[in-house]
Amino acid sequence: MKIQSILIYSFVASATLLGSACRKYVEIEQNDRRTLKTTDDYRYLLNNKGNFETSYLLPLVTSDNIAPEVASTAASVWGGSTQLAYIWSAQFFTGDQQDGGWNNLYKHIYVANEILDGVMDSQNGTPAQKLAVAAEARVHRAFAYYSLANQYAPVYDPTKAESQQGLPLLLTVDLFQNLSRVSLARIYEQIITDLTTAINNLPNYPSFNYHPSKVSAYALMSRVYLTMRNFEEAGRYADLALALDPTIYNLEDFTRDETFPRLIDDKEVLLSKTSAGYMIGPLNPELISLYKEGDLRLKLFIDNEPGTYKGYIYKKPVFNSSGNYYNASYVGLSSPEVLLNRAEVYARQNNAAKVVELLNLLRKKRFSADKYVALTTADVNSDLLQYVIDERRREFVGTDLRWYDMRRLTLDGGYFKTITRTFNGQTYSLNAGSPRLVYPINERVLSFNPEIGQNPR
């Protein structure tokens, strides 16, 4: 079998969506023209970080972690698509601009499908080796579909998911698939199927954190079920991940020179994914006010540049294997996320003692020892869920998780607050019922694949 990359003009690199009306493409041979024959050939596809690691950027822009007003001098360092995303515009991209997030995620799906299509019939591999390769591909595909669903599809509502519009569901490398969207319920069903199928053929921990493993699959299952509002299953999978004792760093160990481990060496990272670019912009003062004295995240994750247009900005670095900075942020799966997923489930069950236990487990490693004061049940009893939400916001600053949290919290009444922004003298608002909580489909994609259809704007 020969691996192909299908280039449509609406895609930057490897494309995956081909419309029935217009299917212009060219064949591009990859991997130095090597034919995929052996199990090792498929393993090499997984080992190539370029196939699965770089993802998207805009969830870092659209969330309320960014300041409600950005001066034109600050916005001048943004591209046009970033400015349009900041105000939740009807379209984020104009002319021939590409949507890197959509492109990258469907590229992940395409490569995963290529692996799943051929690895079980490949040569010179044991059944166990083939199943392991297939399992990793399924986790990458599940992560990509979850990310797409939480950007380009409606907020998952378990009472409506069967009728909610989802995404094109591509599970093979067939170039002439039906691109009409399936329901959102069907997308999540496939995510769960991929993960449950994969888990038994994964090691507890990977050799390198850009490879999926049991702990990352459990973490992703917990995230998915939290989004689906199946809180019992979200807690159960968080427990399975926590039983493998994932690492949470004591941030005081990094305060002397403010140097974090390289991404490849970061033990908090359960599955390495990076943003498709770096978000430079002032952070919301409301977010900054959530950090208390002695919280080292305010020193190590965030920087203050007084006298400049930036104000507080996200600064936690992502290092590559050579010890140099990536021009990106970390948007994968992590140990703190698992802990806070479990804490949220306990909060929803009104279990104050367990919420306090888990929050203190994290906070003790986030504060300087001389400033740390343990929470008590009396501290959190006023609103358990809000305490967990605030902790998630402090911990996940600079990542995509705040956008996903904002979307799902629209189903929790007062936990979503209308966001108002001022830009170029105009005011924009995002409320809980707004269709702008869903990203637009790039018009270039729709010009070749009109059956996908635009999201309501």
Side-chain angles (χ1 to χ4, degrees):
M1 181 192 301
K2 181 169 53 178
I3 185 170
Q4 298 176 334
S5 173
I6 308 307
L7 178 64
I8 303 181
Y9 298 113
S10 56
F11 282 70
V12 175
S14 298
T16 58
L17 298 185
L18 291 174
S20 58
C22 185
R23 297 181 182 270
K24 297 179 181 179
Y25 66 89
V26 294
E27 181 179 321
I28 302 173
E29 296 196 6
Q30 298 179 334
N31 306 312
D32 296 323
R33 301 181 183 273
R34 181 181 179 86
T35 300
L36 296 172
K37 291 182 178 180
T38 70
T39 304
D40 279 347
D41 292 335
Y42 291 95
R43 168 56 66 186
Y44 294 149
L45 287 181
L46 288 170
N47 290 350
N48 183 349
K49 294 175 66 177
N51 284 332
F52 293 109
E53 191 171 46
T54 302
S55 54
Y56 40 80
L57 175 65
L58 296 183
L60 282 67
V61 181
T62 52
S63 86
D64 61 356
N65 280 348
I66 304 299
E69 184 169 2
V70 177
S72 59
T73 49
S76 66
V77 302
W78 294 351
S81 60
T82 302
Q83 295 182 25
L84 292 171
Y86 176 73
I87 59 173
W88 315 291
S89 180
Q91 261 297 336
F92 293 172
F93 302 92
T94 59
D96 291 332
Q97 285 184 314
Q98 304 289 333
D99 183 344
W102 173 280
N103 294 355
N104 287 337
L105 291 169
Y106 269 109
K107 174 190 173 183
H108 297 180
I109 292 165
Y110 180 83
V111 178
N113 287 343
E114 193 74 38
I115 292 169
L116 290 166
D117 186 65
V119 68
M120 296 310 297
D121 295 324
S122 61
Q123 302 171 11
N124 302 335
T126 67
Q129 289 170 332
K130 296 175 184 180
L131 287 168
V133 169
E136 290 192 33
R138 287 184 181 277
V139 175
H140 284 303
R141 186 167 71 179
F143 186 95
Y145 270 121
Y146 175 86
S147 303
L148 285 164
N150 281 274
Q151 294 172 47
Y152 302 95
V155 176
Y156 185 97
D157 184 338
T159 67
K160 302 176 181 178
E162 292 289 348
S163 60
Q164 287 178 299
Q165 182 173 254
L167 301 160
L169 181 62
L170 307 181
L171 300 176
T172 72
V173 292
D174 179 8
L175 304 185
F176 296 93
Q177 300 181 61
N178 183 353
L179 297 186
S180 298
R181 301 197 204 192
V182 301
S183 71
L184 191 57
R186 177 68 186 92
I187 293 295
Y188 275 83
E189 175 188 316
Q190 185 60 48
I191 293 169
I192 296 297
T193 297
D194 273 344
L195 293 173
T196 53
T197 303
I199 282 171
N200 287 337
N201 295 299
L202 294 167
N204 287 349
Y205 277 92
S207 52
F208 298 104
N209 58 19
Y210 54 83
H211 287 295
S213 62
K214 273 191 174 67
V215 70
S216 62
Y218 289 149
L220 184 52
M221 285 285 263
S222 179
R223 178 193 288 192
V224 170
Y225 277 121
L226 203 63
T227 303
M228 296 175 71
R229 303 184 70 80
N230 186 336
F231 301 120
E232 182 176 349
E233 285 297 279
R236 184 170 76 86
Y237 278 100
D239 284 339
L240 288 169
L242 293 172
L244 296 175
D245 196 25
T247 297
I248 296 180
Y249 287 127
N250 185 340
L251 292 187
E252 275 204 310
D253 295 341
F254 306 108
T255 55
R256 177 172 296 180
D257 54 10
E258 299 186 17
T259 299
F260 292 89
R262 298 177 304 167
L263 181 58
I264 197 172
D265 296 324
D266 192 331
K267 301 302 182 184
E268 283 192 351
V269 174
L270 303 181
L271 184 61
S272 174
K273 301 283 183 179
T274 58
S275 64
Y278 195 70
M279 180 58 205
I280 300 174
L283 296 180
N284 193 336
E286 178 191 58
L287 166 66
I288 299 303
S289 71
L290 294 177
Y291 293 92
K292 306 304 180 185
E293 184 181 5
D295 192 329
L296 296 173
R297 290 170 293 196
L298 188 56
K299 178 179 182 180
L300 298 176
F301 292 6
I302 296 171
D303 198 12
N304 188 17
E305 299 186 13
T308 74
Y309 65 81
K310 294 178 182 177
Y312 283 98
I313 60 170
Y314 178 70
K315 78 164 187 178
K316 184 179 178 182
V318 172
F319 288 111
N320 63 21
S321 57
S322 301
N324 299 316
Y325 286 107
Y326 272 122
N327 191 29
S329 296
Y330 170 70
V331 294
L333 297 158
S334 69
S335 305
E337 181 188 348
V338 176
L339 195 69
L340 291 173
N341 287 355
R342 193 63 180 100
E344 180 174 331
V345 173
Y346 279 131
R348 292 178 180 276
Q349 296 168 342
N350 203 32
N351 190 334
K354 293 299 291 186
V355 170
V356 166
E357 176 187 333
L358 292 181
L359 290 184
N360 281 336
L361 183 61
L362 177 65
R363 292 174 71 256
K364 188 174 183 178
K365 296 189 176 184
R366 277 9 192 181
F367 278 74
S368 56
D370 61 330
K371 299 294 184 181
Y372 172 70
V373 178
L375 291 175
T376 68
T377 54
D379 295 321
V380 302
N381 268 334
S382 60
D383 194 333
L384 282 175
L385 183 55
Q386 189 63 58
Y387 263 84
V388 177
I389 292 168
D390 289 347
E391 197 64 55
R392 291 177 68 88
R393 201 169 177 192
R394 285 185 285 263
E395 183 66 27
F396 304 138
V397 60
T399 77
D400 51 341
L401 284 178
R402 177 57 183 172
W403 176 248
Y404 303 156
D405 284 354
M406 283 170 50
R407 281 170 41 97
R408 63 187 181 85
L409 289 171
T410 60
L411 302 182
D412 287 294
Y415 291 101
F416 180 96
K417 298 177 182 178
T418 297
I419 309 164
T420 301
R421 288 178 168 171
T422 301
F423 185 65
N424 285 341
Q426 296 190 48
T427 299
Y428 305 86
S429 295
L430 186 70
N431 59 46
S434 174
R436 303 297 174 94
L437 284 161
V438 183
Y439 293 171
I441 307 298
N442 190 307
E443 290 293 346
R444 292 293 290 168
V445 172
L446 294 179
S447 68
F448 287 97
N449 310 287
E451 63 268 48
I452 296 174
Q454 185 56 274
N455 286 319
R457 309 308 297 155

